[in-house]
Amino acid sequence: MKCPKCGCEIKEGHLYCDTCGMEIQMVPDFEPEIENSIMETLSTLAEGIRGKTRAEKSEKSEKNKNAFGQKAPKSVRESEESGQSAENRWKDRKWVIVSLITFIAATLLIVFIAVYVYRGYSVSYQTQRARAYAESGDYAKAIECLERARALRSDITELAMMEADYCYQFGDKDKAADILLTLVGKEYLEYEDKETLYERIITILNEEGRYEEINELLISCTDSEIVNHFQQYLALPPEFGYDSGSYDEVITLKLSANTAGTIYYTLDGSEPDERSYIYTAPLFLESGDYQVTAVFINEYGIRSDSARNWYVINLSVPDAPQIPVASGDYDTPMQIEAVVPEGGTVYYTTDGTTPDAYSQQYTGPIAMPLGRTNFKFVAISEEGVSSEIVNRSYSLTLDTDITVTRAVNIIVDALFRRRVLSDLQGHSYEIEGKYVFKYDSIVEIPNLGYYYILNEYVEDNSGNQTKTERLYAVEVNTGVPNRLIYDENGQMGLISLQ
């Protein structure tokens, strides 16, 4: 269709010319027939009137002729006509009145039918009435007009968009969304119209909290640009960093989602839910079989379909580390040693957590701590496979009057007497803040005995502590204070503070 004003092509489904803005009048196909019918009826009535008049005049003319075909004398004619004139004039007048009334009635009937048909079957008329009602705030009647217009031309996108807008203004958001949803998937929609359509639908569904419908709408959408634009509403199944299969190495499995939300997963093939593991970091899959099942729930509470992969990790498990010092109660400090298996590295914890590659690495004998301590040791191979965990529990007590607290006080008193500290609270002439001393361990110094080892910290006015490089040693039985030093060969030595 072309615009009658500027001649530009009108897009299908539009009521206005995109070039000049002229409204396109959608007149039904049968209106020209109505117009032709009116004209034919009027012409027939006019011909009938003209024919009757000519016939009467001809009859009168024949009657006035004599036997020779000549007109009778005027006196004769007047006498003959005088008796008939009154009757004929009345008949003529009566016929004209009846014909006129009939003509007017027929004309009014045809006009009424034409107006009725135009109003009932004209898209333009119903659209104009809808706009007028909407401008006055009567959206209910505006919607009724548009429903009649859409019944006539369901292919006009603007009619549906207009009705949805009026329903939204009227407060019927559900109906507005349902009307717009009927347009989804129409092949004749331009991209701009489609983008506007999705924008309006999602806005309404979002206000109504119909997030599941938004998710379904976007999943069925074939336009990737529109999907990407609204993907925050979309909940797609999580994606796996590795395909299902067998591997001869430990794999660090990453799970990813299309937008903000939470991934829940299981490792035994069961269906995950909000009580399952929450994915926060890559999964460390070592030797064994795994059936990883994951589901994504976005920030609107929309749950995706489950995603499931299978993994078989074929790796040999390293031997567990050997710890010769058995668990038990001790009154003499012991050095805790670990036998490291070939091709592995030993890690340990003392806080009850499971050791892994991020725990404290075993590099040599460990001085047994005072009190009760629970050790956990594990060996981890180069491929990242962990051995069985070895547990040891030790309780060390010393038969001495020199406690850790007393050892700390002995060091503070010795440094105060040497004027390293300005008071017994640890303040110094050389720094702001104060010095703090903390127990580290008990070690045996060959040929000298057992000593408490204390670390030195500098504490600022805000309470922050920074460890220094100085170490102090207090003999566990006599309480003799010392500086602890190491020579170039790593051998320990003492500098007396007495």
Side-chain angles (χ1 to χ4, degrees):
M1 178 186 294
K2 291 187 177 181
C3 176
K5 181 177 180 181
C6 66
C8 293
E9 190 69 25
I10 304 299
K11 293 181 180 179
E12 184 176 358
H14 285 227
L15 290 174
Y16 294 88
C17 175
D18 293 336
T19 302
C20 66
M22 180 178 179
E23 182 181 4
I24 307 304
Q25 299 294 325
M26 310 301 290
V27 182
D29 296 335
F30 47 77
E31 289 186 10
E33 298 177 2
I34 297 174
E35 183 179 355
N36 294 335
S37 176
I38 294 173
M39 296 303 297
E40 289 178 3
T41 303
L42 294 176
S43 299
T44 301
L45 289 172
E47 285 295 329
I49 294 173
R50 287 195 297 269
K52 179 67 175 176
T53 303
R54 285 196 298 268
E56 290 178 351
K57 288 182 179 180
S58 176
E59 182 180 353
K60 288 180 180 181
S61 177
E62 289 298 327
K63 288 182 178 181
N64 290 333
K65 291 182 181 180
N66 55 23
F68 297 98
Q70 298 176 346
K71 291 183 179 181
K74 183 176 180 180
S75 59
V76 176
R77 292 198 307 268
E78 289 178 353
S79 62
E80 291 177 353
E81 292 175 357
S82 61
Q84 300 177 354
S85 60
E87 182 180 357
N88 291 338
R89 281 195 301 271
W90 167 244
K91 288 182 179 180
D92 291 344
R93 227 181 262 116
K94 182 179 179 181
W95 187 88
V96 171
I97 292 172
V98 172
S99 298
L100 183 59
I101 292 174
T102 302
F103 171 75
I104 293 173
T107 301
L108 291 176
L109 178 61
I110 293 171
V111 171
F112 174 79
I113 293 173
V115 171
Y116 175 80
V117 171
Y118 174 74
R119 291 187 175 183
Y121 296 91
S122 172
V123 174
S124 297
Y125 177 77
Q126 297 296 342
T127 304
Q128 291 170 0
R129 289 188 68 200
R131 287 198 184 95
Y133 281 130
E135 288 177 0
S136 65
D138 193 345
Y139 289 105
K141 290 185 177 179
I143 293 169
E144 292 178 3
C145 293
L146 288 176
E147 287 178 346
R148 287 193 287 270
R150 287 210 304 134
L152 298 172
R153 292 293 301 273
S154 60
D155 60 323
I156 301 179
T157 307
E158 290 185 37
L159 293 177
M161 300 282 269
M162 188 184 301
E163 183 179 352
D165 182 56
Y166 290 166
C167 288
Y168 183 87
Q169 298 296 331
F170 189 58
D172 194 348
K173 296 182 180 180
D174 288 338
K175 184 176 180 180
D178 293 340
I179 292 173
L180 295 174
L181 286 170
T182 62
L183 300 177
V184 174
K186 299 297 184 182
E187 296 181 356
Y188 55 77
L189 286 178
E190 299 287 340
Y191 177 79
E192 293 79 7
D193 295 335
K194 186 183 297 186
E195 188 176 34
T196 301
L197 175 64
Y198 275 86
E199 181 78 44
R200 292 188 181 182
I201 293 175
I202 291 175
T203 297
I204 295 174
L205 295 181
N206 179 56
E207 292 177 358
E208 294 292 287
R210 296 162 62 178
Y211 302 117
E212 289 285 356
E213 294 181 52
I214 298 178
N215 183 59
E216 295 173 1
L217 176 67
L218 293 174
I219 289 176
S220 62
C221 181
T222 57
D223 194 309
S224 59
E225 291 187 19
I226 291 178
V227 173
N228 291 334
H229 184 68
F230 298 105
Q231 68 170 321
Q232 70 269 23
Y233 296 100
L234 190 61
L236 296 177
E239 295 184 356
F240 293 81
Y242 285 84
D243 294 332
S244 294
S246 297
Y247 294 86
D248 295 328
E249 61 180 347
V250 172
I251 64 174
T252 303
L253 180 62
K254 294 182 179 180
L255 305 179
S256 59
N258 65 291
T259 187
T262 305
I263 296 176
Y264 299 90
Y265 70 93
T266 61
L267 299 176
D268 58 1
S270 60
E271 190 66 22
D273 55 28
E274 287 85 347
R275 295 169 295 179
S276 303
Y277 297 117
I278 297 177
Y279 177 82
T280 57
L283 308 181
F284 192 68
L285 303 185
E286 50 189 25
S287 186
D289 297 346
Y290 302 88
Q291 185 175 344
V292 183
T293 309
V295 67
F296 172 64
I297 299 179
N298 69 13
E299 57 187 1
Y300 296 98
I302 306 303
R303 176 190 174 99
S304 73
D305 293 333
S306 298
R308 181 176 284 106
N309 272 9
W310 291 263
Y311 301 97
V312 178
I313 312 300
N314 300 310
L315 292 174
S316 58
V317 178
D319 294 332
Q322 298 180 26
I323 312 298
V325 179
S327 297
D329 297 332
Y330 292 83
D331 56 11
T332 301
M334 301 290 292
Q335 293 296 105
I336 303 169
E337 296 184 355
V339 178
V340 181
E342 184 178 356
T345 302
V346 173
Y347 299 88
Y348 70 95
T349 61
T350 58
D351 59 359
T353 60
T354 300
D356 55 24
Y358 299 99
S359 302
Q360 181 68 41
Q361 182 179 345
Y362 174 83
T363 58
I366 305 168
M368 183 180 292
L370 278 174
R372 179 167 294 280
T373 308
N374 296 313
F375 283 86
K376 288 186 177 183
F377 296 89
V378 68
I380 300 179
S381 68
E382 295 178 355
E383 294 80 14
V385 181
S386 299
S387 71
E388 292 183 3
I389 294 175
V390 178
N391 295 281
R392 290 289 186 270
S393 178
Y394 305 108
S395 178
L396 174 62
T397 57
L398 298 176
D399 185 14
T400 176
D401 293 333
I402 307 300
T403 63
V404 171
T405 301
R406 186 176 177 186
V408 170
N409 291 333
I410 289 172
I411 291 297
V412 171
D413 183 69
L415 293 176
F416 173 70
R417 284 187 285 105
R418 286 175 169 269
R419 301 185 64 81
V420 175
L421 300 179
S422 60
D423 57 30
L424 296 178
Q425 283 72 45
H427 295 96
S428 174
Y429 301 102
E430 59 184 21
I431 64 167
E432 294 184 2
K434 64 180 181 178
Y435 286 106
V436 176
F437 304 92
K438 294 184 177 181
Y439 167 80
D440 179 79
S441 61
I442 297 177
V443 298
E444 182 182 9
I445 300 177
N447 303 319
L448 296 177
Y450 292 99
Y451 288 80
Y452 293 115
I453 306 302
L454 305 179
N455 292 314
E456 181 185 72
Y457 295 83
V458 174
E459 181 177 293
D460 62 22
N461 295 328
S462 299
N464 300 315
Q465 296 181 350
T466 304
K467 187 178 180 180
T468 72
E469 295 182 355
R470 287 192 289 266
L471 297 173
Y472 297 88
V474 177
E475 209 279 332
V476 298
N477 293 307
T478 63
V480 175
N482 302 273
R483 276 283 309 277
L484 177 66
I485 60 173
Y486 288 87
D487 63 19
E488 58 186 10
N489 297 318
Q491 298 298 317
M492 290 184 291
L494 298 175
I495 300 175
S496 178
L497 295 177
Q498 285 186 330

